Amino acid sequence: MATFSQSTIESGSDMVQDFLCSTCEEKKLGESADYYCESCVKFFCRKCIDLHSQLFTQHSPHGRGDMKKWPVAKKVEDFLLKCDVHKEEDNDMFCKDHSQLCCNKCAILNHRTCKTVILLSDLVKNTPTDLKQVSVTIQTTLAQLKELQENQEDSIQSLLSSYFEQLHKIQKYRKKIIADLNKLEQKTMQELKDTLTKLQAPLERDIDKCSTLQDELKQLGEAIHDIGDKNKQELSLIASIKCKDKIQQFEKYQKENFVEVKSSISFQPNNEIVEYLSKLSGLGMTLTVMQNPDKVIRMDRKSEYDVHTEGELKCSIRDICVLSSGQVLVTDVVNNNIKLLSHTYQVVSHCSVSDSQLNGPMGICQITPSEFGIAVSPKGRPGDVDFAQILFIKVNNSQLVKDRTLEFQHYCNSIVYQKGDLFVTSGNALFKYKLSDTCTLVSKLHEDTSDEWTVARCAVSPTGDKLYITSPYKLLTLAKDGSILATFMDPAVKWLVGVHVTPAGQVLVCGHESKNIIQVDSKGSMKLATLATGRDGIKDPYSVCYNRITDSIIVGQWEHKKILVYKVK
């Protein structure tokens, strides 16, 4: 009986990948077999085969180079022969009606009424089997399953991302409600305080008047006591007149000003607020949004935001990336500046790429929620450059902090990161790297040396199955292996620069020379809509990005101080 090594069983199954030496196994040693002897019907390791060859000189054992003559392992036989339903039974029949293997129990329970149930021993006589073709089909199916699994895993990540975004939205909305309630509370408390001040003022005035009159009358009383037995008639007269005057003042004040009714303050709550809140089932509605990559985006009102810093005369926003916090990171290539914008698009932090030999920060990609890669290349033509770098920066407490750098032996223009893969365009080629602490080149996916900017910028679909790259007059869509799936050209879209894919898979492209923003279908084969033109304020579009937090489109421009933000309908 063939024996197997447990350590070499494929993870997730019991399929045998190796055999154990029969002699060593008797000694309870798990030594892998290297030879099989048909005469002995046993397996031997490199040590045991020597003794076997000395004892049995006429035997011809087969090494691993001749494993076709090795027996099928019992584990494999059981895996293939045993019924999937009745584990203790062997499959010995085949139901043609259902195209299904079956054991005796299956035949009795499930296939009694079937017309054609035949023995496997009879079927094998007339049924040729091409295991090579079956193996090819298995590999093809496994690749399809892997791709489907990866797509669904990406869908889960996208779903989780939308969940946390909406969770943040709910928390933000709750804070707004609390802030509004705090304002109502402050206003009500101020009204309460104003009422107290209003009621308290006349009482305090009465107290002050009483206190003043008391002091004056006490002084007069003490004066009268001093002159009472000194026969000072003039002083006595004056004292008498002053006392009479003070008493009259008191009587007049008491009659005209004193309010003897005691006041109190009472608060009557607005019960409509509590009643309204008690009727609500939640802060809003939770909706399931089916993502359609070919749903046409409709842009509404436009806003402009100044993103220049002190001393800058103009800006060229080369790339844009929206953080989960709602902040926005942009690269300003003309000023060699990386800028962090608030959720209201105000510059809150910036850092300079000040090397005079560098061409400024180019493309951006997000690595983690707080880490970003920036492509930085020397000045000069892409074809003449053999050195560039990616600068990694971190966003900590709304501040940009430079971290590590990685060096490349080609121009770095546009970069995209997805699930450990880093895609970099060099102007006329698209490279795929595996990113960790270093970058390892996996392959050159695409190259076109016919011109300088044939592979300018790139973007990747949410599932990672398609890559989009721009050149001056066309958009290419590539498969993961670099093969071209589609080519898009339109004379109304000239000098294609920025390309961006929304979380739903919608493809946006900038026409720099034609001064427009268009949407292309997810296959990259046709234009779905022109989203904005010069009539909508587009002047020199250089980059485009969808802000999922505010549901808007951000457009960076060449040599303009302001970015454009269009609200999506």
Side-chain angles (χ1 to χ4, degrees):
M1 179 182 71
T3 55
F4 63 96
S5 169
Q6 185 68 33
S7 62
T8 55
I9 295 176
E10 186 177 355
S11 177
S13 74
D14 288 329
M15 289 305 298
V16 177
Q17 299 297 319
D18 209 346
F19 297 86
L20 293 179
C21 172
S22 302
T23 304
C24 290
E25 187 183 17
E26 291 172 0
K27 301 175 183 179
K28 298 183 179 181
L29 298 175
E31 191 69 34
S32 179
D34 296 293
Y35 296 90
Y36 172 69
C37 179
E38 286 182 295
S39 302
C40 298
V41 195
K42 287 188 177 182
F43 295 90
F44 300 95
C45 65
R46 292 184 185 279
K47 292 180 180 179
C48 296
I49 194 65
D50 292 337
L51 181 60
H52 170 273
S53 298
Q54 293 174 20
L55 296 173
F56 305 99
T57 57
Q58 300 301 315
H59 291 189
S60 300
H62 303 290
R64 286 187 174 273
D66 196 16
M67 288 191 73
K68 290 182 179 178
K69 296 183 179 179
W70 287 30
V72 176
K74 176 108 176 26
K75 198 75 173 181
V76 175
E77 286 186 350
D78 288 345
F79 172 75
L80 294 173
L81 289 176
K82 292 299 180 183
C83 175
D84 291 338
V85 178
H86 307 100
K87 303 296 183 181
E88 72 284 358
E89 299 288 331
D90 286 348
N91 287 313
D92 49 14
M93 285 174 275
F94 181 77
C95 175
K96 285 192 174 182
D97 295 17
H98 295 95
S99 296
Q100 189 175 18
L101 291 167
C102 52
C103 65
N104 283 326
K105 287 185 178 180
C106 288
I108 295 171
L109 296 172
N110 303 320
H111 302 278
R112 280 185 298 177
T113 60
C114 297
K115 294 181 179 179
T116 311
V117 179
I118 59 178
L119 293 172
L120 289 178
S121 56
D122 294 334
L123 181 65
V124 74
K125 296 176 183 178
N126 302 311
T127 307
T129 303
D130 186 352
L131 289 181
K132 287 185 178 180
Q133 184 58 45
V134 172
S135 181
V136 170
T137 303
I138 287 175
Q139 294 306 314
T140 302
T141 305
L142 284 173
Q144 293 172 344
L145 283 168
K146 183 180 179 182
E147 183 177 2
L148 177 61
Q149 180 181 350
E150 288 176 350
N151 287 342
Q152 297 305 83
E153 287 173 351
D154 288 337
S155 295
I156 288 176
Q157 291 303 315
S158 177
L159 181 63
L160 286 173
S161 177
S162 68
Y163 166 78
F164 287 115
E165 283 179 13
Q166 299 313 307
L167 186 63
H168 176 72
K169 191 174 182 180
I170 291 170
Q171 293 169 341
K172 187 177 179 180
Y173 186 56
R174 179 184 179 277
K175 287 180 180 179
K176 185 179 182 303
I177 294 173
I178 296 300
D180 289 340
L181 286 173
N182 287 338
K183 288 180 181 179
L184 290 175
E185 180 188 24
Q186 290 169 5
K187 184 178 179 181
T188 305
M189 290 175 67
Q190 186 61 47
E191 290 177 353
L192 188 67
K193 187 175 181 180
D194 291 345
T195 301
L196 174 63
T197 301
K198 182 179 178 181
L199 295 174
Q200 203 171 4
L203 298 174
E204 289 178 344
R205 187 172 61 248
D206 290 345
I207 292 170
D208 290 342
K209 187 65 176 178
C210 289
S211 179
T212 301
L213 289 173
Q214 283 183 65
D215 291 342
E216 291 174 348
L217 285 171
K218 283 180 180 180
Q219 289 178 4
L220 286 172
E222 291 173 357
I224 290 171
H225 182 269
D226 287 343
I227 63 172
D229 55 354
K230 296 180 180 178
N231 196 24
K232 296 288 185 178
Q233 294 183 354
E234 184 176 345
L235 290 175
S236 297
L237 177 62
I238 291 172
S240 176
I241 293 172
K242 284 189 174 185
C243 284
K244 185 178 180 181
D245 179 59
K246 294 300 178 184
I247 292 170
Q248 287 177 348
Q249 285 184 35
F250 165 66
E251 291 174 346
K252 181 180 180 182
Y253 186 82
Q254 184 183 32
K255 183 178 180 181
E256 294 179 357
N257 297 286
F258 269 64
V259 179
E260 295 187 5
V261 178
K262 294 186 180 294
S263 299
S264 64
I265 300 174
S266 175
F267 170 69
Q268 182 64 44
N270 184 350
N271 292 322
E272 291 182 0
I273 297 174
V274 177
E275 290 174 2
Y276 177 73
L277 290 175
S278 65
K279 293 177 181 177
L280 297 178
S281 59
L283 295 180
M285 295 178 63
T286 299
L287 304 175
T288 300
V289 180
M290 303 307 293
Q291 305 230 351
N292 178 8
D294 294 330
K295 180 182 178 181
V296 175
I297 293 174
R298 304 294 181 188
M299 301 204 312
D300 198 1
R301 62 183 185 277
K302 179 194 71 174
S303 301
E304 298 184 8
Y305 298 92
D306 196 327
V307 294
H308 88 287
T309 59
E310 185 177 356
E312 296 177 349
L313 299 177
K314 53 190 176 182
C315 305
S316 291
I317 304 304
R318 166 61 177 74
D319 208 354
I320 306 167
C321 181
V322 178
L323 285 64
S324 58
S325 63
Q327 293 176 310
V328 180
L329 193 65
V330 300
T331 52
D332 182 355
V333 64
V334 78
N335 293 304
N336 285 3
N337 223 342
I338 305 165
K339 301 175 180 179
L340 180 66
L341 313 181
S342 68
H343 66 281
T344 56
Y345 305 105
Q346 305 301 310
V347 180
V348 295
S349 179
H350 63 93
C351 65
S352 175
V353 181
S354 56
D355 192 327
S356 60
Q357 298 301 313
L358 296 175
N359 197 33
M362 310 290 277
I364 306 174
C365 69
Q366 185 168 11
I367 310 299
T368 69
S370 61
E371 185 183 29
F372 300 82
I374 312 292
V376 184
S377 293
K379 295 179 180 179
R381 297 167 61 90
D384 300 331
V385 170
D386 59 2
F387 167 79
Q389 62 182 211
I390 291 180
L391 167 66
F392 292 87
I393 63 171
K394 291 186 177 180
V395 179
N396 293 328
N397 298 321
S398 297
Q399 294 298 311
L400 299 180
V401 181
K402 291 183 181 179
D403 195 21
R404 59 192 173 115
T405 59
L406 293 177
E407 296 183 355
F408 294 79
Q409 295 180 343
H410 57 74
Y411 194 91
C412 293
N413 186 50
S414 181
I415 54 176
V416 176
Y417 176 82
Q418 188 183 64
K419 294 179 67 176
D421 294 328
L422 184 70
F423 301 94
V424 184
T425 66
S426 66
N428 52 31
L430 173 64
F431 297 89
K432 178 182 178 179
Y433 290 88
K434 184 62 69 173
L435 180 64
S436 55
D437 292 336
T438 60
C439 248
T440 304
L441 178 63
V442 177
S443 64
K444 183 188 291 185
L445 291 175
H446 179 76
E447 185 175 28
D448 182 353
T449 58
S450 64
D451 204 348
E452 190 173 22
W453 292 108
T454 51
V455 186
R457 304 194 196 176
C458 68
V460 63
S461 65
T463 57
D465 62 330
K466 290 187 284 291
L467 292 156
Y468 305 92
I469 58 176
T470 60
S471 65
Y473 297 102
K474 64 183 177 182
L475 173 74
L476 290 181
T477 304
L478 309 180
K480 288 192 295 185
D481 61 0
S483 58
I484 298 176
L485 299 175
T487 301
F488 168 77
M489 299 177 68
D490 187 337
V493 188
K494 300 177 182 178
W495 205 262
L496 283 69
V497 281
V499 58
H500 175 76
V501 181
T502 73
Q506 296 150 304
V507 184
L508 310 178
V509 181
C510 289
H512 180 65
E513 192 176 294
S514 52
K515 303 182 188 304
N516 53 10
I517 307 292
I518 67 165
Q519 180 180 346
V520 179
D521 72 318
S522 59
K523 294 180 180 179
S525 60
M526 59 181 288
K527 180 173 73 175
L528 295 178
T530 298
L531 305 183
T533 65
R535 290 177 295 180
D536 304 300
I538 299 292
K539 295 179 180 178
D540 296 288
Y542 200 40
S543 55
V544 63
C545 180
Y546 173 73
N547 188 336
R548 63 190 181 281
I549 307 299
T550 59
D551 199 20
S552 56
I553 302 292
I554 308 171
V555 179
Q557 302 192 93
W558 173 259
E559 296 190 345
H560 282 267
K561 287 185 178 180
K562 297 180 178 180
I563 59 171
L564 307 177
V565 180
Y566 295 85
K567 188 67 178 176
V568 173
K569 292 182 180 179

